[in-house]
PDB file of all heavy atoms in Angstrom:
ATOM      1  N   ASP A 102      27.806  29.344  26.967  1.00  0.00           N
ATOM      2  CA  ASP A 102      28.301  30.670  27.332  1.00  0.00           C
ATOM      3  C   ASP A 102      27.144  31.441  27.936  1.00  0.00           C
ATOM      4  O   ASP A 102      26.277  31.955  27.222  1.00  0.00           O
ATOM      5  CB  ASP A 102      28.853  31.388  26.104  1.00  0.00           C
ATOM      6  CG  ASP A 102      29.561  32.703  26.471  1.00  0.00           C
ATOM      7  OD1 ASP A 102      29.577  33.050  27.682  1.00  0.00           O
ATOM      8  OD2 ASP A 102      30.091  33.362  25.560  1.00  0.00           O
ATOM      9  N   GLN A 105      25.956  34.804  26.782  1.00  0.00           N
ATOM     10  CA  GLN A 105      25.186  34.904  25.542  1.00  0.00           C
ATOM     11  C   GLN A 105      23.839  34.202  25.662  1.00  0.00           C
ATOM     12  O   GLN A 105      23.287  33.708  24.689  1.00  0.00           O
ATOM     13  CB  GLN A 105      25.982  34.314  24.382  1.00  0.00           C
ATOM     14  CG  GLN A 105      27.273  35.052  24.083  1.00  0.00           C
ATOM     15  CD  GLN A 105      27.990  34.498  22.863  1.00  0.00           C
ATOM     16  OE1 GLN A 105      27.590  33.489  22.298  1.00  0.00           O
ATOM     17  NE2 GLN A 105      29.052  35.180  22.445  1.00  0.00           N
ATOM     18  N   SER A 106      23.299  34.167  26.850  1.00  0.00           N
ATOM     19  CA  SER A 106      22.039  33.476  27.108  1.00  0.00           C
ATOM     20  C   SER A 106      20.872  34.193  26.442  1.00  0.00           C
ATOM     21  O   SER A 106      20.738  35.426  26.514  1.00  0.00           O
ATOM     22  CB  SER A 106      21.794  33.382  28.617  1.00  0.00           C
ATOM     23  OG  SER A 106      20.537  32.785  28.884  1.00  0.00           O
ATOM     24  N   LEU A 107      20.037  33.429  25.780  1.00  0.00           N
ATOM     25  CA  LEU A 107      18.789  33.899  25.163  1.00  0.00           C
ATOM     26  C   LEU A 107      19.011  35.073  24.218  1.00  0.00           C
ATOM     27  O   LEU A 107      18.299  36.081  24.245  1.00  0.00           O
ATOM     28  CB  LEU A 107      17.770  34.280  26.254  1.00  0.00           C
ATOM     29  CG  LEU A 107      17.342  33.165  27.205  1.00  0.00           C
ATOM     30  CD1 LEU A 107      16.379  33.684  28.249  1.00  0.00           C
ATOM     31  CD2 LEU A 107      16.710  32.031  26.413  1.00  0.00           C
ATOM     32  N   LEU A 108      20.010  34.942  23.346  1.00  0.00           N
ATOM     33  CA  LEU A 108      20.232  35.968  22.327  1.00  0.00           C
ATOM     34  C   LEU A 108      19.177  35.849  21.231  1.00  0.00           C
ATOM     35  O   LEU A 108      18.693  34.760  20.917  1.00  0.00           O
ATOM     36  CB  LEU A 108      21.625  35.817  21.719  1.00  0.00           C
ATOM     37  CG  LEU A 108      22.826  36.116  22.632  1.00  0.00           C
ATOM     38  CD1 LEU A 108      24.115  35.919  21.861  1.00  0.00           C
ATOM     39  CD2 LEU A 108      22.747  37.533  23.194  1.00  0.00           C
ATOM     40  N   SER A 109      18.842  36.976  20.637  1.00  0.00           N
ATOM     41  CA  SER A 109      17.876  36.982  19.539  1.00  0.00           C
ATOM     42  C   SER A 109      18.537  36.451  18.268  1.00  0.00           C
ATOM     43  O   SER A 109      19.762  36.496  18.133  1.00  0.00           O
ATOM     44  CB  SER A 109      17.346  38.395  19.310  1.00  0.00           C
ATOM     45  OG  SER A 109      16.717  38.899  20.478  1.00  0.00           O
ATOM     46  N   PRO A 110      17.735  35.955  17.316  1.00  0.00           N
ATOM     47  CA  PRO A 110      18.318  35.463  16.058  1.00  0.00           C
ATOM     48  C   PRO A 110      19.075  36.554  15.316  1.00  0.00           C
ATOM     49  O   PRO A 110      18.650  37.709  15.269  1.00  0.00           O
ATOM     50  CB  PRO A 110      17.088  35.010  15.273  1.00  0.00           C
ATOM     51  CG  PRO A 110      16.050  34.724  16.306  1.00  0.00           C
ATOM     52  CD  PRO A 110      16.292  35.713  17.405  1.00  0.00           C
ATOM     53  N   HIS A 114      24.466  33.537  15.335  1.00  0.00           N
ATOM     54  CA  HIS A 114      23.440  32.627  15.862  1.00  0.00           C
ATOM     55  C   HIS A 114      22.161  32.832  15.051  1.00  0.00           C
ATOM     56  O   HIS A 114      21.393  33.765  15.302  1.00  0.00           O
ATOM     57  CB  HIS A 114      23.196  32.885  17.350  1.00  0.00           C
ATOM     58  CG  HIS A 114      24.428  32.805  18.192  1.00  0.00           C
ATOM     59  ND1 HIS A 114      25.032  31.611  18.536  1.00  0.00           N
ATOM     60  CD2 HIS A 114      25.194  33.785  18.751  1.00  0.00           C
ATOM     61  CE1 HIS A 114      26.100  31.839  19.283  1.00  0.00           C
ATOM     62  NE2 HIS A 114      26.226  33.160  19.425  1.00  0.00           N
ATOM     63  N   LEU A 116      19.337  31.265  14.793  1.00  0.00           N
ATOM     64  CA  LEU A 116      18.062  31.170  15.516  1.00  0.00           C
ATOM     65  C   LEU A 116      18.185  31.626  16.957  1.00  0.00           C
ATOM     66  O   LEU A 116      17.283  31.387  17.765  1.00  0.00           O
ATOM     67  CB  LEU A 116      17.538  29.723  15.478  1.00  0.00           C
ATOM     68  CG  LEU A 116      17.228  29.157  14.090  1.00  0.00           C
ATOM     69  CD1 LEU A 116      16.756  27.717  14.197  1.00  0.00           C
ATOM     70  CD2 LEU A 116      16.193  30.006  13.357  1.00  0.00           C
ATOM     71  N   GLY A 117      19.296  32.257  17.293  1.00  0.00           N
ATOM     72  CA  GLY A 117      19.500  32.706  18.663  1.00  0.00           C
ATOM     73  C   GLY A 117      20.152  31.639  19.527  1.00  0.00           C
ATOM     74  O   GLY A 117      20.658  30.630  19.028  1.00  0.00           O
ATOM     75  N   THR A 118      20.116  31.850  20.840  1.00  0.00           N
ATOM     76  CA  THR A 118      20.702  30.911  21.797  1.00  0.00           C
ATOM     77  C   THR A 118      19.682  30.545  22.849  1.00  0.00           C
ATOM     78  O   THR A 118      18.685  31.245  23.058  1.00  0.00           O
ATOM     79  CB  THR A 118      21.938  31.522  22.485  1.00  0.00           C
ATOM     80  OG1 THR A 118      21.552  32.728  23.168  1.00  0.00           O
ATOM     81  CG2 THR A 118      23.024  31.853  21.467  1.00  0.00           C
ATOM     82  N   ASP A 119      19.926  29.419  23.526  1.00  0.00           N
ATOM     83  CA  ASP A 119      19.030  28.992  24.592  1.00  0.00           C
ATOM     84  C   ASP A 119      19.462  29.609  25.921  1.00  0.00           C
ATOM     85  O   ASP A 119      20.326  30.505  25.975  1.00  0.00           O
ATOM     86  CB  ASP A 119      18.969  27.476  24.673  1.00  0.00           C
ATOM     87  CG  ASP A 119      20.329  26.851  24.979  1.00  0.00           C
ATOM     88  OD1 ASP A 119      21.290  27.589  25.266  1.00  0.00           O
ATOM     89  OD2 ASP A 119      20.436  25.609  24.928  1.00  0.00           O
ATOM     90  N   GLN A 120      18.887  29.120  27.005  1.00  0.00           N
ATOM     91  CA  GLN A 120      19.141  29.707  28.317  1.00  0.00           C
ATOM     92  C   GLN A 120      20.586  29.527  28.760  1.00  0.00           C
ATOM     93  O   GLN A 120      21.112  30.316  29.547  1.00  0.00           O
ATOM     94  CB  GLN A 120      18.189  29.092  29.344  1.00  0.00           C
ATOM     95  CG  GLN A 120      18.057  29.880  30.633  1.00  0.00           C
ATOM     96  CD  GLN A 120      16.911  29.386  31.483  1.00  0.00           C
ATOM     97  OE1 GLN A 120      16.396  28.286  31.257  1.00  0.00           O
ATOM     98  NE2 GLN A 120      16.484  30.180  32.456  1.00  0.00           N
ATOM     99  N   GLN A 121      21.250  28.496  28.276  1.00  0.00           N
ATOM    100  CA  GLN A 121      22.642  28.250  28.633  1.00  0.00           C
ATOM    101  C   GLN A 121      23.624  28.812  27.605  1.00  0.00           C
ATOM    102  O   GLN A 121      24.826  28.549  27.686  1.00  0.00           O
ATOM    103  CB  GLN A 121      22.881  26.747  28.794  1.00  0.00           C
ATOM    104  CG  GLN A 121      22.064  26.139  29.923  1.00  0.00           C
ATOM    105  CD  GLN A 121      22.308  24.649  30.084  1.00  0.00           C
ATOM    106  OE1 GLN A 121      22.940  24.026  29.228  1.00  0.00           O
ATOM    107  NE2 GLN A 121      21.816  24.081  31.168  1.00  0.00           N
ATOM    108  N   GLY A 122      23.139  29.577  26.664  1.00  0.00           N
ATOM    109  CA  GLY A 122      23.999  30.208  25.680  1.00  0.00           C
ATOM    110  C   GLY A 122      24.421  29.303  24.543  1.00  0.00           C
ATOM    111  O   GLY A 122      25.359  29.640  23.808  1.00  0.00           O
ATOM    112  N   ARG A 123      23.753  28.181  24.341  1.00  0.00           N
ATOM    113  CA  ARG A 123      24.081  27.268  23.247  1.00  0.00           C
ATOM    114  C   ARG A 123      23.320  27.662  21.983  1.00  0.00           C
ATOM    115  O   ARG A 123      22.171  28.109  22.057  1.00  0.00           O
ATOM    116  CB  ARG A 123      23.756  25.823  23.642  1.00  0.00           C
ATOM    117  CG  ARG A 123      24.533  25.335  24.855  1.00  0.00           C
ATOM    118  CD  ARG A 123      24.058  23.960  25.306  1.00  0.00           C
ATOM    119  NE  ARG A 123      22.665  23.960  25.718  1.00  0.00           N
ATOM    120  CZ  ARG A 123      22.055  22.927  26.299  1.00  0.00           C
ATOM    121  NH1 ARG A 123      22.739  21.810  26.536  1.00  0.00           N
ATOM    122  NH2 ARG A 123      20.784  23.005  26.634  1.00  0.00           N
ATOM    123  N   ASP A 124      23.955  27.484  20.850  1.00  0.00           N
ATOM    124  CA  ASP A 124      23.358  27.864  19.576  1.00  0.00           C
ATOM    125  C   ASP A 124      22.187  26.945  19.246  1.00  0.00           C
ATOM    126  O   ASP A 124      22.344  25.716  19.160  1.00  0.00           O
ATOM    127  CB  ASP A 124      24.413  27.800  18.466  1.00  0.00           C
ATOM    128  CG  ASP A 124      23.875  28.341  17.153  1.00  0.00           C
ATOM    129  OD1 ASP A 124      23.823  29.570  17.006  1.00  0.00           O
ATOM    130  OD2 ASP A 124      23.500  27.517  16.296  1.00  0.00           O
ATOM    131  N   ILE A 125      21.025  27.533  19.027  1.00  0.00           N
ATOM    132  CA  ILE A 125      19.806  26.749  18.807  1.00  0.00           C
ATOM    133  C   ILE A 125      19.846  26.043  17.449  1.00  0.00           C
ATOM    134  O   ILE A 125      19.480  24.873  17.332  1.00  0.00           O
ATOM    135  CB  ILE A 125      18.565  27.653  18.901  1.00  0.00           C
ATOM    136  CG1 ILE A 125      18.438  28.220  20.321  1.00  0.00           C
ATOM    137  CG2 ILE A 125      17.303  26.894  18.509  1.00  0.00           C
ATOM    138  CD1 ILE A 125      17.301  29.200  20.490  1.00  0.00           C
ATOM    139  N   PHE A 126      20.305  26.749  16.427  1.00  0.00           N
ATOM    140  CA  PHE A 126      20.330  26.152  15.088  1.00  0.00           C
ATOM    141  C   PHE A 126      21.283  24.965  15.033  1.00  0.00           C
ATOM    142  O   PHE A 126      20.965  23.922  14.442  1.00  0.00           O
ATOM    143  CB  PHE A 126      20.740  27.208  14.049  1.00  0.00           C
ATOM    144  CG  PHE A 126      20.717  26.694  12.645  1.00  0.00           C
ATOM    145  CD1 PHE A 126      19.520  26.584  11.955  1.00  0.00           C
ATOM    146  CD2 PHE A 126      21.883  26.304  12.006  1.00  0.00           C
ATOM    147  CE1 PHE A 126      19.490  26.103  10.647  1.00  0.00           C
ATOM    148  CE2 PHE A 126      21.863  25.831  10.705  1.00  0.00           C
ATOM    149  CZ  PHE A 126      20.660  25.725  10.033  1.00  0.00           C
ATOM    150  N   LEU A 297      10.480  28.420  29.194  1.00  0.00           N
ATOM    151  CA  LEU A 297      10.721  29.718  28.559  1.00  0.00           C
ATOM    152  C   LEU A 297       9.571  30.141  27.661  1.00  0.00           C
ATOM    153  O   LEU A 297       9.423  31.326  27.359  1.00  0.00           O
ATOM    154  CB  LEU A 297      12.016  29.666  27.739  1.00  0.00           C
ATOM    155  CG  LEU A 297      13.300  29.427  28.541  1.00  0.00           C
ATOM    156  CD1 LEU A 297      14.481  29.259  27.605  1.00  0.00           C
ATOM    157  CD2 LEU A 297      13.555  30.575  29.507  1.00  0.00           C
ATOM    158  N   THR A 302       9.425  33.314  25.031  1.00  0.00           N
ATOM    159  CA  THR A 302      10.595  32.924  24.246  1.00  0.00           C
ATOM    160  C   THR A 302      10.281  31.620  23.524  1.00  0.00           C
ATOM    161  O   THR A 302      10.255  30.555  24.141  1.00  0.00           O
ATOM    162  CB  THR A 302      11.825  32.750  25.148  1.00  0.00           C
ATOM    163  OG1 THR A 302      12.022  33.948  25.914  1.00  0.00           O
ATOM    164  CG2 THR A 302      13.069  32.487  24.316  1.00  0.00           C
ATOM    165  N   ILE A 304      11.717  29.318  21.747  1.00  0.00           N
ATOM    166  CA  ILE A 304      12.785  28.443  21.249  1.00  0.00           C
ATOM    167  C   ILE A 304      12.349  26.981  21.221  1.00  0.00           C
ATOM    168  O   ILE A 304      13.011  26.144  20.594  1.00  0.00           O
ATOM    169  CB  ILE A 304      14.063  28.595  22.098  1.00  0.00           C
ATOM    170  CG1 ILE A 304      13.802  28.131  23.534  1.00  0.00           C
ATOM    171  CG2 ILE A 304      14.566  30.026  22.085  1.00  0.00           C
ATOM    172  CD1 ILE A 304      15.053  28.135  24.398  1.00  0.00           C
TER     173      ILE A 304
END
Side-chain angles (χ1 to χ4, degrees):
D102 188 358
Q105 297 184 354
S106 177
L107 299 178
L108 292 180
S109 301
H114 305 285
L116 298 179
T118 59
D119 61 7
Q120 197 168 16
Q121 297 180 349
R123 299 173 298 188
D124 187 79
I125 296 176
F126 183 79
L297 296 174
T302 306
I304 64 175

